[in-house]
Amino acid sequence: MPTGRELALLRLCALGLVGPQPHDPLVAVQRLGALQAQDLPGALASIALRVEGHSHAAVVDAFADGRLVRSWPMRGTLHIVAAADLGWMLSLTAARMLATSATRRMQVGITEAVANRARLIADEVLSVAGPITRAALFDQWREAGLLNHPQAGVHLLGMLCQEQQLVLGPVVGREQLVARLADWVPSATHRDRDAALAELARRYLNSHGPATAADLARWASLPITQARAGIAAVRDEFDAATIDGVEHLFAPQLPQLLADHRRDAIRLRLLPGFDEFVLGYADRSFAVAAGFEERLVPGGNGMFRASIVTGGRVVGTWKRGGTTKRPSLVIEPFAALSATDQAAAQRAFAAFPSPS
């Protein structure tokens, strides 16, 4: 029965950070289902860390040719998903998220008239220009008098993405261009609701297990009854362990994967902020010791710092210092790191995927 460190190591394996990795970033993302991506550079690195060779350029290429996209499919924030999967995921989650955010849209001045005008402008501009920067789209909305609050633009963009009119597509530098979803993703996969729930549960448990129905509900912005229904549909595909009185499901091959790659699982690694190892679960105490989560998310403001992980535990945070040409690693350990761990952190930093 996995507990403590063993649970963390199993999850590192399930999440694709340990063991054999695919060549194609699309395969890595499809396996995860989705990964949080409000910090685009960090999200690109998270994907690269799950692809053989850890190539940042390969991940950017997957956006350039339309295999991967970024949108608002869950938890009211940006995620990266396989382009073909976005439609059926939004069919499960969008209505609930749009309803939940309706009051906030009104607070920032997005009336139905504003929303309708924004839809028309976006469609007209993008049908002629193709993908454009977020700033260019916001300029069009601003000229039409639609952005009378500092946050109106991003709320309009998120709404139109959840309505499946727009999507964030090719990566240019440190930003993504906005495209019409129908143009950028012409071959979306469609599933009925029951099949979509089952597939989302299957992908989540395969890539995040051992995990619970509560983990899935929180991760996917689903009511717990729907999370349980999705899991029930695929329950016979997974093994189970009871941890603290709660059933956790995981892929049958996962324990052997850890046995084969334990040395890799326990080694020190650097993860970006918002990586699924920290964000993918309702309870992150398996990875972050009591008293230290405040240092990972200062002030509880939802902005997760990049983490140092060893033995399956978060033991500190890190950031990039120095200059573009001569970057340096700045670490803030929760407790003093040994000389061996400090050297390992420097090696991980030197190999960390980033734009060339």
Side-chain angles (χ1 to χ4, degrees):
M1 184 181 300
T3 57
R5 169 169 152 161
E6 203 72 5
L7 175 61
L9 296 178
L10 286 167
R11 286 174 168 174
L12 282 172
C13 293
L15 286 162
L17 291 164
V18 175
Q21 295 181 318
H23 296 283
D24 189 346
L26 172 62
V27 176
V29 172
Q30 282 178 320
R31 187 172 181 283
L32 288 171
L35 71 157
Q36 191 162 333
Q38 64 214 71
D39 172 39
L40 180 59
L44 298 180
S46 278
I47 299 171
L49 288 170
R50 291 165 166 84
V51 177
E52 187 173 311
H54 297 176
S55 170
H56 183 279
V59 179
V60 172
D61 287 346
F63 285 95
D65 62 20
R67 285 174 286 157
L68 297 180
V69 293
R70 194 164 59 133
S71 187
W72 279 263
M74 53 187 66
R75 301 205 300 279
T77 192
L78 283 157
H79 284 70
I80 291 172
V81 301
D85 292 333
L86 180 59
W88 65 261
M89 287 188 184
L90 284 170
S91 74
L92 290 175
T93 62
R96 189 165 183 243
M97 288 189 295
L98 285 166
T100 300
S101 58
T103 298
R104 182 55 181 159
R105 288 197 300 275
M106 290 299 295
Q107 290 172 345
V108 300
I110 301 175
T111 63
E112 190 56 37
V114 168
N116 286 335
R117 183 65 178 140
R119 293 184 188 101
L120 287 172
I121 290 172
D123 190 65
E124 291 171 358
V125 170
L126 293 169
S127 65
V128 174
I132 60 174
T133 65
R134 180 186 303 202
L137 177 60
F138 286 9
D139 283 345
Q140 294 289 327
W141 286 339
R142 189 173 293 107
E143 289 175 10
L146 305 182
L147 303 187
N148 295 313
H149 187 282
Q151 295 183 4
V154 70
H155 280 279
L156 276 172
L157 178 60
M159 180 189 72
L160 297 189
C161 283
Q162 288 173 338
E163 291 177 349
Q164 300 191 52
Q165 180 177 345
L166 303 180
V167 73
L168 297 176
V171 175
V172 179
R174 295 179 64 87
E175 67 173 318
Q176 276 183 290
L177 303 186
V178 183
R180 293 199 306 179
L181 179 60
D183 295 337
W184 196 248
V185 188
S187 302
T189 300
H190 300 282
R191 303 178 191 271
D192 64 42
R193 188 167 189 82
D194 288 346
L197 276 173
E199 182 61 20
L200 194 62
R202 177 182 291 112
R203 294 202 195 180
Y204 180 77
L205 294 174
N206 269 320
S207 62
H208 290 72
T212 69
D215 288 323
L216 173 60
R218 179 256 171 206
W219 178 82
S221 300
L222 292 174
I224 188 65
T225 54
Q226 292 184 20
R228 288 171 178 157
I231 288 176
V234 298
R235 173 66 180 76
D236 61 356
E237 299 175 22
F238 297 92
D239 285 348
T242 300
I243 304 172
D244 296 330
V246 180
E247 182 181 67
H248 289 61
L249 298 178
F250 55 93
Q253 68 273 19
L254 191 60
Q256 187 60 54
L257 182 65
L258 175 56
D260 292 342
H261 299 278
R262 178 170 286 273
R263 180 175 295 182
D264 186 23
I266 65 175
R267 71 172 173 82
L268 185 144
R269 67 190 69 238
L270 302 181
L271 296 180
F274 302 98
D275 190 85
E276 286 293 302
F277 181 63
V278 174
L279 270 290
Y281 305 92
D283 177 5
R284 51 184 72 96
S285 61
F286 75 95
V288 187
F292 290 114
E293 188 162 344
E294 166 69 21
R295 296 177 64 177
L296 189 63
V297 197
N301 62 2
M303 299 303 293
F304 285 77
R305 301 177 70 186
S307 58
I308 306 168
V309 178
T310 186
R313 302 288 286 178
V314 177
V315 297
T317 63
W318 69 277
K319 62 183 178 181
R320 188 180 298 270
T323 64
T324 302
K325 291 185 177 181
R326 299 190 66 180
S328 62
L329 173 64
V330 179
I331 63 173
E332 295 184 20
F334 298 159
L337 294 181
S338 67
T340 299
D341 280 347
Q342 291 185 45
Q346 291 293 340
R347 290 194 298 272
F349 180 69
F352 195 80
S354 60
S356 55

